[in-house]
């Protein structure tokens, strides 16, 4: 039985259960949203805190990294400054040495100039005195020759004037004689001309009178014949004249009609001719236009074909040029890369070689010339070949390499000198080894040594050992005496050893 005071649980209906379930869902959904808001707020706060920390750490890292970089850069700058300081000191030393040498050369040159100037002035004084003597001598000789020429000129002038006066008198006489002859000849010619003119005039008058009489008779005869012929012609043509008058009137009428018809025909023919001309002109113009259009069409077609061929050819040429340019650019890049590598190698070798330079080479890296004045004069006396334009351009391009070739030739000469010295030292070493071998053979006792000449056996201060001949190499520019070698006899050495 159920206890008293307690109510029994009543079962819930479906609606209440559904409502209760919906409330639970809403409460769970509200709790989930609340948790999600709390979680998002927490993540936002955490993200802001992390961003702040990351920015702070980044600033710290940048600050430390800047410090490290400053230290490294400072060390590099110190090294560079030290290198530059050493280089500057070396250059300053070189410049000081060059300045000192140039000052010394300048003082010597000034002394030489003063000495040369004194000698030059002395020579000029001597030349002036000699020239004055020569001028005085020449002036005396000039005055003597002038007097002689003046006398000769005066005598020759007198002779020429006398001869001229004689020729003038002779020519005056000749002129008067010729003028008298001309007057006589002119008078005779005038008389002859007058007589001839009178004869011709009389003769012409007679011929004219005779011809006039003859012509008058002929004209009278002809006039009489003409009158007779006219009378007979008039009598014979009287009837024909009447018929001619009638026919003339008829002919005038017919000619008027014919003229009117001819004018009409002429107008028609003119119109036909004009129309034919117009037709011909129009046909000719149309034919010319058609021909011009055909020619233009053929010309345009030919130009089109030519342009197509040129375009194809230009495209092929441009393609070939592009390929060629690509190949040449690749080749050029390879060559330039090789040149750059070679230049870097040369610079590295130059840095290595600079360590082995002597003080003289550091001060004066480029010597003026290794030739003596006599050799230099012989070279200047040789006539150089005529330079062509291409050779002059090549020489101008390589003028900047002159200092390099000087240093290169100097090193090459030193190398050859050292090789020659090395060969001589090898030869001397071989001879010394041979002498040492003979000496050792001389102090040793064996059947082979006893069977041969002993180099230590001395008779009359002469040994069987041949004396070596050492040659000392002479280099250009060396003024040192040849090196002497002290040779000690084996008997003297062995006496002190034993």
């Amino acid at each position: 039985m159920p206890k008293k005071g307690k109510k029994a649980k009543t079962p819930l209906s479906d609606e209440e259960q559904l409502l209760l379930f919906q409330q639970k869902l809403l409460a769970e959904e509200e709790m989930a949203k609340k948790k999600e808001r709390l979680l998002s707020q927490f993540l936002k706060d955490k993200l802001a805190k992390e961003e702040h920390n990351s920015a702070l750490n980044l600033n710290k890292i940048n600050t430390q990294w800047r410090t490290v970089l400053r230290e490294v850069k400072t060390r590099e700058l110190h090294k560079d400054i030290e290198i530059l300081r050493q280089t500057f000191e070396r250059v300053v030393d070189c410049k000081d040495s060059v300045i000192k040498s140039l000052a010394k050369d300048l003082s010597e040159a000034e002394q030489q100039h003063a000495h040369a100037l004194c000698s030059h002035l002395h020579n000029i004084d001597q030349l002036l005195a000699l020239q004055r003597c020569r001028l005085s001598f020449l002036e005396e000789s000039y005055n003597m020759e002038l007097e002689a020429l003046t006398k000769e000129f005066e005598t020759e002038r007198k002779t020429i004037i006398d001869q001229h006066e004689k020729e003038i008198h002779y020519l005056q006489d000749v002129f008067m004689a010729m003028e008298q002859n001309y007057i006589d000849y002119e008078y005779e010619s005038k008389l002859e001309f007058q007589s001839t003119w009178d004869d011709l005039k009389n003769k012409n008058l007679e011929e004219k009178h005779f011809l006039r009489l003859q012509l008058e008779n002929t004209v009278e005869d002809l006039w009489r014949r003409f009158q007779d012929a006219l009378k007979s012609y008039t009598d014979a043509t009287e009837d024909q004249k009447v018929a001619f008058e009638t026919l003339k009137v008829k002919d005038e009428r017919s000619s008027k009609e014919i003229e009117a018809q001819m004018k009409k025909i002429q107008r028609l023919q003119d119109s036909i001719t004009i129309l034919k001309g117009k037709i011909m002109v129009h046909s000719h113009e149309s034919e010319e236009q058609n021909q011009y259009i055909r020619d233009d069409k053929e010309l345009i077609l030919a130009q089109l074909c030519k342009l197509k061929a040129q375009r194809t050819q230009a495209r092929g040429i441009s393609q070939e040029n592009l390929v060629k340019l690509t190949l040449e650019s690749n080749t050029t890049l390879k060559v330039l890369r090789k040149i750059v590598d070679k230049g870097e190698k040369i610079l590295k070798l130059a840095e290595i070689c600079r360590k082995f330079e002597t003080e003289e080479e550091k001060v004066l890296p480029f010597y003026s010339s290794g030739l003596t004045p006599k050799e230099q004069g012989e070279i200047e006396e040789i006539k150089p070949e005529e330079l062509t334009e291409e050779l002059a351009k090549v020489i101008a391009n390589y003028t900047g390499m002159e200092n390099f070739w000087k240093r290169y030739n100097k090193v090459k000469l030193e190398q050859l000198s050292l090789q020659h010295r090395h060969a001589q030292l090898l030869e001397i070493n071989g001879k010394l080894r041979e002498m040492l071998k003979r000496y050792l053979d001389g102090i040793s006792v064996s059947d082979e040594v006893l069977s041969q000449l002993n180099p230590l056996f001395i008779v009359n201060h002469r040994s069987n050992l041949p004396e070596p001949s050492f040659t000392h190499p002479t280099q250009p520019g060396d003024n040192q005496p040849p090196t002497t070698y002290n040779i000690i006899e084996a008997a003297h050495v062995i006496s002190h050893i034993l």
Side-chain angles (χ1 to χ4, degrees), residues 140-178:
E140 291 176 359
S141 61
Y142 171 74
N143 291 327
M144 292 173 65
E145 290 180 359
L146 181 63
E147 291 177 358
L149 289 173
T150 306
K151 291 178 181 179
E152 186 179 356
F153 173 74
E154 290 295 334
T155 54
E156 188 174 357
R157 183 171 175 272
K158 288 179 181 179
T159 55
I160 290 170
I161 290 171
D162 295 338
Q163 188 177 0
H164 177 66
E165 289 177 355
K166 291 178 181 179
E167 289 179 355
I168 286 173
H169 291 307
Y170 174 73
L171 289 174
Q172 286 177 356
D173 296 337
V174 171
F175 178 73
M176 290 176 67
M178 288 180 67

Side-chain angles (χ1 to χ4, degrees), residues 275-292:
L275 291 173
K276 284 183 178 180
K278 289 181 180 180
I279 291 168
M280 290 295 292
V281 169
H282 287 304
S283 63
H284 186 64
E285 288 179 355
S286 62
E287 186 66 27
E288 286 181 354
Q289 290 178 358
N290 293 330
Q291 186 65 31
Y292 181 71

Side-chain angles (χ1 to χ4, degrees), residues 14-62:
D14 294 335
E15 293 179 357
E16 292 176 351
Q17 290 178 359
L18 182 61
L19 184 61
L20 184 62
F21 183 70
Q22 288 179 355
Q23 289 177 355
K24 288 182 179 179
L25 287 176
L26 288 172
E28 290 177 357
E29 186 176 357
E30 188 69 25
M31 289 296 291
K33 287 182 179 180
K34 189 175 180 181
K35 288 181 180 179
E36 187 176 356
R37 284 196 299 271
L38 291 172
L39 183 62
S40 63
Q41 186 66 31
F42 175 72
L43 291 174
K44 286 180 180 178
D45 295 338
K46 189 175 182 180
L47 181 61
K49 188 176 181 180
E50 289 294 331
E51 288 179 352
H52 179 70
N53 292 330
S54 63
L56 184 62
N57 292 328
L58 183 61
N59 290 329
K60 290 180 179 179
I61 291 168
N62 288 332

Side-chain angles (χ1 to χ4, degrees), residues 327-390:
L327 295 174
E328 288 181 354
S329 63
N330 292 329
T331 307
T332 306
L333 289 173
K334 292 179 182 178
V335 172
L336 290 174
R337 198 174 292 112
K338 289 180 181 179
I339 292 171
V340 170
D341 295 338
K342 190 175 181 180
E344 292 177 354
K345 185 177 179 182
I346 289 170
L347 291 175
K348 290 179 181 178
L349 291 173
E351 290 294 333
I352 295 169
C353 293
R354 192 174 289 114
K355 298 177 182 178
F356 300 100
E357 289 180 352
T358 61
E359 292 296 330
E360 183 181 358
E361 290 176 348
K362 289 180 180 179
V363 175
L364 296 173
F366 306 110
Y367 67 97
S368 60
S369 177
L371 300 175
T372 61
K374 184 177 180 182
E375 294 175 348
Q376 192 73 28
E378 291 178 356
I379 290 172
E380 290 178 355
E381 288 177 358
I382 297 172
K383 294 182 179 178
E385 297 179 357
E386 295 182 357
L387 296 177
T388 60
E389 187 176 356
E390 297 179 357

Side-chain angles (χ1 to χ4, degrees), residues 351-490:
E351 290 294 333
I352 295 169
C353 293
R354 192 174 289 114
K355 298 177 182 178
F356 300 100
E357 289 180 352
T358 61
E359 292 296 330
E360 183 181 358
E361 290 176 348
K362 289 180 180 179
V363 175
L364 296 173
F366 306 110
Y367 67 97
S368 60
S369 177
L371 300 175
T372 61
K374 184 177 180 182
E375 294 175 348
Q376 192 73 28
E378 291 178 356
I379 290 172
E380 290 178 355
E381 288 177 358
I382 297 172
K383 294 182 179 178
E385 297 179 357
E386 295 182 357
L387 296 177
T388 60
E389 187 176 356
E390 297 179 357
L391 185 59
K393 288 181 180 178
V394 172
I395 291 172
N397 292 331
Y398 284 95
T399 52
M401 298 291 290
E402 185 176 358
N403 292 328
F404 169 76
W405 287 117
K406 282 183 179 180
R407 298 191 69 179
Y408 178 79
N409 292 331
K410 185 178 179 182
V411 173
K412 196 70 177 175
L413 287 173
E414 291 179 355
Q415 182 183 2
L416 293 174
S417 176
L418 291 173
Q419 289 177 359
H420 185 62
R421 179 61 179 163
H422 182 262
Q424 288 183 344
L425 291 175
L426 287 176
E427 185 180 357
I428 292 169
N429 191 14
K431 291 181 179 180
L432 290 173
R433 285 178 182 275
E434 185 179 357
M435 290 173 61
L436 182 61
K437 179 177 178 299
R438 290 181 181 181
Y439 172 72
L440 292 175
D441 290 340
I443 62 174
S444 63
V445 179
S446 63
D447 295 336
E448 185 179 357
V449 172
L450 292 174
S451 64
Q452 297 177 359
L453 294 174
N454 192 348
L456 301 180
F457 185 71
I458 299 171
V459 178
N460 295 328
H461 302 286
R462 295 181 67 184
S463 175
N464 294 328
L465 186 66
E467 296 181 358
S469 59
F470 300 104
T471 58
H472 182 70
T474 58
Q475 297 180 1
D478 293 343
N479 297 321
Q480 298 177 359
T483 308
T484 57
Y485 296 93
N486 295 324
I487 301 172
I488 303 173
E489 294 184 355

